[in-house]
Amino acid sequence: MVTAARQGGSAPDVARVFPDGFLWGSATASYQIEGATAEDGRTPSIWDTYAHTPGRVRNGDTGDIATDHYHRWREDVALMGELGLGAYRFSLAWPRIQPTGRGPAVQKGLDFYRRLADELLAKGITPVATLYHWDLPQELEDAGGWPERVTAERFAEYAAIAADALGDRVKTWTTLNEPWCSAFLGYGSGVHAPGRTDPVAALRAAHHLNLGHGLAVQALRAALPSNAQCSVTLNFHEVRPLTGSDADTDAARRIDALANRVFTGPMLQGAYPEDLLKDTAALTDWSFVRDGDLEQISRPLDFLGINYYTPTVVSEADGSGTHNADGHGRSSHSPWPGADQVAFHQPPGDTTAMGWAVDPTGLYDLLTRLSSQFPTLPLVVTENGAAFDDYADPSGQVNDPDRIAYVRGHLAAVHQAIEDGADVRGYFLWSLLDNFEWGYGYSKRFGAVYVDYPTGTRIPKASARWYAQVARTGTLPAA
């Protein structure tokens, strides 16, 4: 951890050539783009329920139609081909495949993903499937959701179904996307589905997401060919103390434990951090962790997925800052169990439309630190990008120079990390399309491709053309 004033982490601005075989891609999530929420046997997920609850999502927006990818997937894959993407990271909608979260699969749901994977392969694009990007079948939430062990067991069964159906086409798999959001925003602050606000439930959910991950890796390995790859994607918080004081340094330690090490500890080291257990002892004795769980959770991975957008700056609570920063919505409930004496501060510098500070040094620091901590585990940046207030001009063009500058800076940080020894194998731009941005509805645009929501028309932004050139050449040009 370093202080908020840290600068550097990149070399002088010159053209940068990435290693041969570096994977260039873009990413999406099922609920954010698919729509067709009641077609072909799909039943409600927790995000359907949450979005249809008044007051939960800005402007009352829902994912009922989203970008209509379920019907326009051929058009979207054609766009990926035009942009020269080497890979596409998408998520499977659990309630589209297994509507109740248990029992046999719905073949029409699997057929959608079979067709998608086939089309990607025909275009020379590697399909990268994520099993879970937050759309838990509502029936499983009604039975207790992620705070209950049975959900982890159901997740493993779903993983086996997906791998058996798609393993002949899809060779790269991710179990969970950002389990921190699922646990602490979904069950702690309530700004994500299912909208519960119980700190103990959040900690229980974190453990059962970890367990579900481990059980899913076991199921994937059993069903997939030996050359398939298994991973998990974590939204790492690059935590920085506001000052170098002992109190601020300890505040950063607390948040690092809750944001990062609650997952990397059991997944990659086979144990929960002792300081995390002590920090949360007033809330729970962690007796929901059973004998054998940690062995199940810590199954070997082929690479670690890293999502990064902005650093997190914290201090001891002293009346400044806020007590409830997560970047995803406001709540009177904290997503940080046992960290009531920590305050969050806005980092310096330019910001995106989300209000997130633009700081590529955070990505550089994160990659180099993880490479040092886990030197035998390859890294892939599975999400990085920014929302800006994009619009189509009278000529129908979408110019987004701020996004180009953001991505350029972060790609420079990735390249510098590689130069300094980090084993980074790929980069996925978030997101391919403008889409449903969770609690913000359609008010925030992260896409490289502009979507006119009333018509569904896709317009590649200037950043899409720029990124396509980088991906085709493997070279980041000088500014």
Side-chain angles (χ1 to χ4, degrees), residues 270-295:
Y272 281 101
E274 286 297 327
D275 60 326
L276 170 69
L277 304 183
K278 291 178 182 178
D279 291 344
T280 57
L283 294 170
T284 178
D285 61 2
W286 290 77
S287 58
F288 45 81
V289 180
R290 297 184 185 175
D291 289 346
D293 282 3
L294 291 165
E295 288 79 7

Side-chain angles (χ1 to χ4, degrees), residues 101-155:
R102 56 175 61 84
V106 171
Q107 290 304 314
K108 286 185 177 180
L110 287 171
D111 285 344
F112 170 70
Y113 297 110
R114 290 184 178 111
R115 291 191 298 268
L116 176 62
D118 286 345
E119 190 77 3
L120 290 166
L121 292 169
K123 298 284 188 184
I125 301 169
T126 299
V128 178
T130 298
L131 286 169
Y132 187 73
H133 200 134
W134 309 349
D135 42 4
L136 184 72
Q138 182 61 44
E139 286 199 24
L140 289 184
E141 174 58 26
D142 294 341
W146 283 110
E148 301 302 321
R149 173 174 291 264
V150 67
T151 305
E153 296 166 350
R154 296 288 82 79
F155 182 62

Side-chain angles (χ1 to χ4, degrees), residues 47-261:
W47 266 100
D48 293 286
T49 302
Y50 187 87
H52 279 271
T53 302
R56 290 294 201 182
V57 176
R58 187 171 296 185
N59 301 320
D61 292 340
T62 74
D64 290 359
I65 299 174
T67 70
D68 200 26
H69 174 73
Y70 191 74
H71 299 113
R72 305 180 71 144
W73 58 273
R74 283 191 177 87
E75 176 184 357
D76 292 338
V77 174
L79 269 174
M80 297 178 219
E82 291 174 15
L83 296 176
L85 297 184
Y88 173 51
R89 177 176 173 257
F90 59 96
S91 71
L92 310 178
W94 190 348
R96 194 178 295 288
I97 292 173
Q98 199 185 28
T100 65
R102 56 175 61 84
V106 171
Q107 290 304 314
K108 286 185 177 180
L110 287 171
D111 285 344
F112 170 70
Y113 297 110
R114 290 184 178 111
R115 291 191 298 268
L116 176 62
D118 286 345
E119 190 77 3
L120 290 166
L121 292 169
K123 298 284 188 184
I125 301 169
T126 299
V128 178
T130 298
L131 286 169
Y132 187 73
H133 200 134
W134 309 349
D135 42 4
L136 184 72
Q138 182 61 44
E139 286 199 24
L140 289 184
E141 174 58 26
D142 294 341
W146 283 110
E148 301 302 321
R149 173 174 291 264
V150 67
T151 305
E153 296 166 350
R154 296 288 82 79
F155 182 62
E157 294 171 7
Y158 156 63
I161 289 171
D164 184 64
L166 299 169
D168 59 338
R169 299 162 168 85
V170 180
K171 306 302 182 189
T172 306
W173 292 78
T174 297
T175 55
L176 306 172
N177 179 82
E178 299 188 352
W180 183 86
C181 293
S182 298
F184 296 104
L185 301 183
Y187 295 92
S189 65
V191 300
H192 275 195
R196 289 161 62 179
T197 54
D198 179 345
V200 176
L203 292 168
R204 289 176 60 91
H207 174 65
H208 293 128
L209 283 155
N210 282 331
L211 180 60
H213 156 77
L215 294 173
V217 170
Q218 181 181 20
L220 291 172
R221 298 283 192 207
L224 294 173
S226 59
N227 63 343
Q229 293 190 312
C230 296
S231 67
V232 69
T233 281
L234 305 178
N235 57 312
F236 285 94
H237 292 62
E238 177 56 27
V239 187
R240 297 173 170 177
L242 183 66
T243 74
S245 70
D246 290 345
D248 287 1
T249 299
D250 190 63
R253 177 201 58 76
R254 283 178 175 267
I255 298 305
D256 179 55
L258 283 166
N260 302 325
R261 291 183 285 120

